[in-house]
């Protein structure tokens, strides 16, 4: 049994190579297609359908065409949220990339204690974002948080810092928390990129008499471009979809100054019970994200080719 | 301790239930309802203690089994919406009374008018709650638990400040005067406290100050605001002055409700409006001796916000008879006494005298004040209540913060936010 069973298939493959190949490819890709279809295409189709209907929580939906899309801009909250989210994305991405790159360069060479530093930098990334937000919420608290006391003790400030109480404070406090949570994660990605740069290139640069800055701008950055592209795409996408950190830390406040796009979708769906408009907003955000990524990748790739 | 108390209560309820059956009462409950079924019920964390009391006592009867799910207050709407969208609502659904209209409008509850009429209880249920659970003349939900807003004051600090601990404030200006006297004690002590970044805390405590003097917050149908600088203005101004004068700690401006209770419970606050269900959460200590009084208006009238939950049978439930059995049983006189009043809560029935477990004395005299204010209390109802007033992104919180903390004047804040409140409340819009 076993011998015929193992011998037969190769013969069949050899004999039918020309005619069966597409069919075979179809069969082999079927599991993946099924997963993509079930987990991505079907929900996406449902989302688009939902966005073109009046979808009650209980009862039958009715088709309304593109009316939900037209109504998105009715409330001022969504536009404010778009502006805030874009601002947050730019700030976070720039700071995060610079800090992560700095950390990666710091621990690039293997020296005494490097392993410890790498672990320490990466450790916050092992914590859930909601948990990290809660932790920082406690740190920032006037009542129980030690952060203000610490700054006062070392003489940096004279009175307790109003971390989350002002619009600017709420934004930068959240950026600080996100930096703590994600810098180590992006550091690991950049470290992998750094370590894939051949040492010979550095040696050649050194022989040519290049200093640290010249080597960094002439060798490291250009060769790190694909990795940086990945970091940028991840950071931009993640920041545009920011939700948990603001939900926990600021609740969108103070005075609606930190409401993100996803928070408005969440509010539309689960506070106003308006699933169809929330679906329309989600489709708009999806399109914006796809466009942002296309632009980003094409720019980076074009730069790389030239 | 707690277990013992629950067991004792359950025992009393059992005896009471048997007595009711023996007397052939049967005013409520349906012993013939399908038995042995398992029902599911959802309640907000805020009213968990009371609902759990009902469920445990009912399960002891052995007619049906009720499984309780407690959902955090902040995510209740989201969980209900998700369950409704997935047609997986529980058999019995509790709702913050101010959300009841919206739940009915979305078809979450089944019509129980006929069954409720048969019990003859309609005229004895807390009218404001019953009204909130009624739409187009049809009853969809019954009162379940009451949470009233009242003035809480710390008698220890009153004595230290030279005030009479048996004379709570009789008007809002007097409350602020007391707060000022207590603030003068200095140290960690403050005169008053409020949830300056908590929409629910603000409406729960400030609105009765307007009602007390005959003012209105909403139009009768709840589709527009009735607030103006004559009604809400003086209340906001009083709080604005109090905060500017340092009568409340600076953290009041960021208080989002999470630690609303803490400063008072620690004995650091002189006088502040809080909720009746919070009394049991604040054990007294040498720095805290709690007195309660009705919330007062500018001119000295009194009122309260009758919060809490209503309970209804969901439209997706397939066990309506058994669910009704539980629902109607919770309203029976003995169960109300054993589960609610003996535990320090307010009965949802207006025909019951507040009594302790033995049917006579109250376990806590402060409960008498709770029962008294129910009669003057109000429940505001509006379909878009949650999105307008309870949602941190709704217009109410921004309005209140603008009026209390500036930079606009109270009048300017009212003028600029009134249209936004109206458009948010407008159901058609």
């Amino acid at each position: 049994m076993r011998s015929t069973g193992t011998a037969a298939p190769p013969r069949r493959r050899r004999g039918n190579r020309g005619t069966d190949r597409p069919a075979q490819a179809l069969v082999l890709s079927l599991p993946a297609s099924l997963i993509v279809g079930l987990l991505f295409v079907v929900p996406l189709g449902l989302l688009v359908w939902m966005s073109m209907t009046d979808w009650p929580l209980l009862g039958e939906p009715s088709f309304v065409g593109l009316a939900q899309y037209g109504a998105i801009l009715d409330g001022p909250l969504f536009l404010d949220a778009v502006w805030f989210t874009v601002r947050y994305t730019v700030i976070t991405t720039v700071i995060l990339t610079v800090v992560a790159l700095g950390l990666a360069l710091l621990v690039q060479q293997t020296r005494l204690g490097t392993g410890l530093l790498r672990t320490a930098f990466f450790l916050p990334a092992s914590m859930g974002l909601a948990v990290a937000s809660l932790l920082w919420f406690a740190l920032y608290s006037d009542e129980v948080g030690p952060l203000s006391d610490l700054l006062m003790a070392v003489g940096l400030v004279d009175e307790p810092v109003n971390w989350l109480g002002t619009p600017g404070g709420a934004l930068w406090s959240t950026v600080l928390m996100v930096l703590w949570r994600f810098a180590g994660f992006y550091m690991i990605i950049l470290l992998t990129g750094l370590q894939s740069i051949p040492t010979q290139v550095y040696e050649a640069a050194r022989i040519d008499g290049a200093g640290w800055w010249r080597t960094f701008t002439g060798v490291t950055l250009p060769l790190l471009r694909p990795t940086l592209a990945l970091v940028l795409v991840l950071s931009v996408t993640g920041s545009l979809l920011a939700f948990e950190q603001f939900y926990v830390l600021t609740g969108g406040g103070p005075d609606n100054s930190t409401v993100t796009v996803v928070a408005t979708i969440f509010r539309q769906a689960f506070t106003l019970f308006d699933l169809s408009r929330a679906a329309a907003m989600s489709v708009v955000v999806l399109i914006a994200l796809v466009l942002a990524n296309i632009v980003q990748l094409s720019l980076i790739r074009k730069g790389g080719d030239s | 301790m707690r277990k013992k108390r629950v067991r004792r209560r359950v025992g009393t309820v059992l005896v009471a239930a048997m007595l009711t059956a023996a007397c052939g009462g049967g005013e409520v409950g349906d012993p013939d309802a399908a038995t042995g079924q398992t029902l599911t019920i959802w309640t907000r964390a805020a009213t968990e203690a009371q609902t759990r009391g009902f469920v445990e006592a009912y399960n002891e009867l052995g007619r049906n089994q009720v499984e309780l799910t407690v959902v955090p207050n902040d995510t209740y709407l989201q969980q209900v919406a998700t369950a409704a969208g997935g047609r997986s609502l529980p058999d019995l659904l509790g709702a913050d009374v101010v959300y009841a209209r919206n739940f009915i409008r979305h078809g979450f509850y089944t019509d129980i008018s006929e069954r409720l009429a048969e019990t003859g209880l309609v005229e004895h249920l807390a009218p404001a709650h019953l009204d909130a659970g009624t739409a187009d003349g049809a009853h969809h939900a019954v009162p379940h638990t009451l949470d009233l807003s009242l003035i809480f004051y710390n008698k220890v600090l009153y004595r230290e400040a030279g005030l009479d601990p048996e004379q709570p404030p009789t008007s809002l200006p007097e409350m602020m005067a007391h707060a000022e006297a207590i603030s003068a004690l200095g140290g960690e002590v403050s005169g008053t406290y409020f949830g300056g970044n908590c929409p629910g805390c603000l409406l729960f405590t400030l609105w009765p100050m307007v009602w007390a003097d005959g003012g209105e917050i909403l139009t009768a149908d709840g589709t527009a605001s009735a607030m103006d600088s004559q009604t809400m203005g003086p209340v906001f101004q009083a709080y604005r002055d109090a905060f500017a004068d340092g009568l409340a700690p600076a953290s009041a401006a960021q208080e989002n409700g999470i630690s609303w209770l803490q400063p008072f419970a620690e004995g650091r606050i002189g006088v502040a409006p809080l909720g009746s269900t919070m009394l049991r959460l604040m054990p007294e200590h040498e720095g805290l001796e709690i007195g309660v009084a009705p919330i007062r208006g500018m001119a000295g009238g009194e009122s309260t916000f009758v919060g809490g939950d209503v309970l209804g049978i969901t439209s997706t439930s397939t066990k309506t008879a058994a669910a009704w059995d539980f629902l109607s049983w919770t309203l029976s006189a003995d169960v109300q006494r054993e589960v609610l009043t003996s535990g320090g809560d307010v009965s949802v029935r207006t025909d019951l005298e507040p009594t302790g477990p033995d049917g006579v004395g109250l376990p806590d005299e402060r409960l008498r004040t709770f029962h008294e204010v129910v009669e003057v209390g109000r429940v505001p109802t509006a379909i878009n209540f949650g999105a307008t007033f309870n949602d941190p992104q709704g217009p109410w919180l921004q309005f209140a913060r603008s009026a209390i903390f500036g930079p606009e004047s109270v009048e300017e804040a009212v003028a600029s936010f009134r249209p936004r409140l109206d458009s948010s409340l407008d159901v058609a819009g």
Side-chain angles (χ1 to χ4, degrees), chain B residues 268-280:
Chain B
R268 290 191 277 126
I269 303 297
V271 54
L274 293 167
S276 62
T277 53
M278 296 173 185
L279 183 63
R280 62 160 80 183

Side-chain angles (χ1 to χ4, degrees), chain A residues 263 265-274, chain B residues 74 77-78 81 99 102 106 383-384 386-388 390-394:
Chain A
I265 297 176
F266 182 80
R267 176 176 190 265
Q268 200 74 32
F270 300 118
T271 305
L272 305 181
F273 292 161
D274 187 353
Chain B
D74 290 344
L77 282 184
Q78 292 87 303
Y99 294 146
N102 200 20
H106 280 92
I383 285 176
N384 283 346
T388 311
N390 267 10
D391 177 15
Q393 266 84 64

